[in-house]
Amino acid sequence: MKIKRIEGLPESARLAVTELTFINSKYDDELWQNHLNPLLKKVEQTYSTEKIREDERISSTKQAYRQLGLDPSRYRPSSESLLRRVSKGKGLYQINTLVDVNNYLSILFRLPVGSYDVEQMTASIHYGVGQSGESYEAIGKKRMDINHFPVLIDERGPFGSPISDSTKAMISLDTTHALLVVYSFDQPEEELVEIQQQSRKVLQELIPTAKIIKQMII
């Protein structure tokens, strides 16, 4: 699996990528009771809309969106959307174990995180910018115009974004080989290394069958 940046992205746009194999499950009680629920409770108790808006990582992500020509009040980072939902006491949708861990990491890092089924992608991936006229079927939404979006693109077209992912490479219960991608904006190298270390630790702790194949900072 190769991932390469292409022209058009802000210099601040980086990726922290973990490739793993694992056995997925519909629901993991230990994950929710011992990790997710306590984190959700903490966010609900300590995060206001103003605190989320002023968070450094949220602000850096939205600034990168502005540089790309996006209105971040219309196209929120997925991390901000999760934090806003949880802070209002609405909790999270339970999907499957890898997606639930994905959302846990996004809230923990306060950065967009996406997980993708490697078997549904081609081997060569680029990180670039959506072009005029491009769109895809977004998970849980109608067809989405991705013009100006930061996007992951394989040989068959765009499939992932820090705003909303497509259904093309979405994680299912049958997924056994995945990429977990942290979308970083203006984080220094040492923070990216720490994010990778935390990602590895969380994946191996919360998904006992997970085997880390490799990690990359793009």
Side-chain angles (χ1 to χ4, degrees):
M1 181 65 63
K2 296 180 180 180
I3 305 176
K4 180 180 178 181
R5 276 174 54 107
I6 55 179
E7 292 183 3
L9 287 167
E11 288 297 321
S12 65
R14 306 285 300 278
L15 301 174
V17 182
T18 301
E19 183 177 358
L20 69 149
T21 59
F22 68 109
I23 298 173
N24 207 1
S25 60
K26 175 62 180 173
Y27 174 78
D28 188 294
D29 188 65
E30 182 181 355
L31 164 62
W32 278 87
Q33 298 305 320
N34 297 334
H35 300 276
L36 259 168
N37 285 337
L39 180 61
L40 300 184
K41 183 177 180 180
K42 181 179 179 180
V43 169
E44 186 178 347
Q45 291 175 342
T46 60
Y47 273 81
S48 63
T49 300
E50 182 178 0
K51 183 176 180 179
I52 294 169
R53 185 170 56 247
E54 294 178 350
D55 181 86
E56 183 177 355
R57 288 184 172 180
I58 299 290
S59 296
S60 296
T61 303
K62 293 168 82 169
Q63 179 58 34
Y65 287 9
R66 292 186 188 96
Q67 292 174 7
L68 289 166
L70 290 171
D71 178 357
S73 64
R74 180 181 179 187
Y75 299 106
R76 297 188 192 281
S78 58
S79 50
E80 182 184 13
S81 297
L82 288 175
L83 283 166
R84 281 175 171 263
R85 178 180 176 83
V86 173
S87 71
K88 294 176 182 178
K90 296 181 179 179
L92 289 179
Y93 292 112
Q94 192 278 316
I95 308 298
N96 59 58
T97 298
L98 181 59
V99 174
D100 296 342
V101 171
N102 180 106
N103 291 338
Y104 173 80
L105 287 170
S106 185
I107 293 171
L108 190 68
F109 294 151
R110 307 181 316 282
L111 291 169
V113 181
S115 291
Y116 309 100
D117 189 331
V118 170
E119 302 306 319
Q120 305 304 317
M121 300 180 285
T122 60
S124 180
I125 297 171
H126 292 98
Y127 184 33
V129 181
Q131 302 299 306
S132 177
E134 288 187 319
S135 64
Y136 56 49
E137 296 291 335
I139 297 173
K141 300 177 182 178
K142 297 180 180 179
R143 195 158 192 87
M144 177 173 282
D145 182 347
I146 59 169
N147 187 29
H148 300 300
F149 281 26
V151 286
L152 294 174
I153 310 157
D154 73 0
E155 294 170 10
R156 292 173 292 192
F159 64 88
S161 164
I163 298 168
S164 183
D165 292 317
S166 81
T167 57
K168 173 183 166 184
M170 65 186 289
I171 301 297
S172 72
L173 288 176
D174 295 326
T175 303
T176 58
H177 187 187
L179 290 184
L180 184 137
V181 179
V182 180
Y183 294 89
S184 166
F185 298 91
D186 209 29
Q187 277 66 60
E189 190 75 17
E190 59 268 23
E191 284 190 22
L192 292 174
V193 171
E194 184 179 346
I195 284 168
Q196 289 294 66
Q197 291 171 344
Q198 287 183 275
S199 295
R200 174 184 286 268
K201 180 181 178 181
V202 167
L203 286 165
Q204 291 178 325
E205 180 180 353
L206 301 187
I207 306 178
T209 58
K211 295 182 179 180
I212 308 301
I213 297 174
K214 63 180 177 181
Q215 292 186 297
M216 303 169 278
I217 295 174
I218 311 297

